[in-house]
Amino acid sequence: DIQMTQSPSSLSASVGDRVTITCRASQTISDYLNWYQQRPGKAPKLLIYTASSLQSGVPSRFRGSRSGTDFTLTISSLQPEDFATYYCQQGFSTPRTFGQGTKLEMK
Amino acid sequence: EVQLMESGGGLVKPGGSLRLSCAASGFSFRTYSMNWVRQVPGKGLEWVAFISSSGRNTQYVDSVKGRFTISRDNAKNSLYLQMNSLKVEDTAVFYCARNNHDSFDIWGQGTTVTVSS
């Protein structure tokens, strides 16, 4: 199985900050990397698919990128509604696997 | 509006069975493959099962193989998860999720399964 390792596990930031979350795959997954946002008590929401494609309706302050087996989610200017937990997920092979999550909290 | 709505969760004893349902609306259900994903309260996400658009191909995470069965009825726009021989560690919120671009682009609100004596 492909292991997905996210860092950091938690992050404190303020409105307006630029934040970066990283996800590393245990083997090559090409661009098959997706990012999700989950607010407390809600279902996950797809933000980015195939490493860098913005899902329809998602604000452009969310950006995804790839360097080899390392993937990055960047939020350019944090808004109050962005404080949530973020997960990466590989869509390259079965079983589909998720990172352990990054909880983004308000400083 | 594109929507998925799960039902069928509840409290069941270890060794018991439960059938989850997911009703789809607002899109052409028969053209999309589908998944079940679960989340232990306070923990991360775990993919559980996949079914192709026709229903002919299915895949499972190792921990549920032989106990869970994913199925669909395209005429009823519905997805199912039959769960047998349930264990305490199966306690979770179960989500159905649509497959698109090898991602899960639409999710239901989730249904809670509690396995406890």
Side-chain angles (χ1 to χ4, degrees), chain A residues 32 34 36 38 42-44 46 49-50 55 87 89 91 94-96 98 100, chain B residues 37 39 43-47 59 61 95 99 101-105 107-109:
Chain A
Y32 293 97
N34 309 305
Y36 302 86
Q38 187 177 33
K42 300 295 186 182
L46 178 65
Y49 62 94
T50 55
Q55 175 70 353
Y87 294 94
Q89 173 253 326
T94 301
R96 301 294 196 238
F98 291 85
Q100 79 277 17
Chain B
V37 177
Q39 184 172 36
K43 301 297 183 183
L45 298 163
E46 181 183 40
W47 170 82
Q59 296 173 325
V61 69
Y95 298 98
N99 225 60
H101 301 296
D102 292 302
S103 66
F104 309 130
D105 70 334
W107 297 64
Q109 85 289 350

Side-chain angles (χ1 to χ4, degrees), chain B residues 14-30:
Chain B
S17 297
L18 212 54
R19 188 196 196 206
L20 306 183
S21 298
C22 171
S25 59
F27 66 99
S28 179
F29 179 73
R30 67 180 63 246

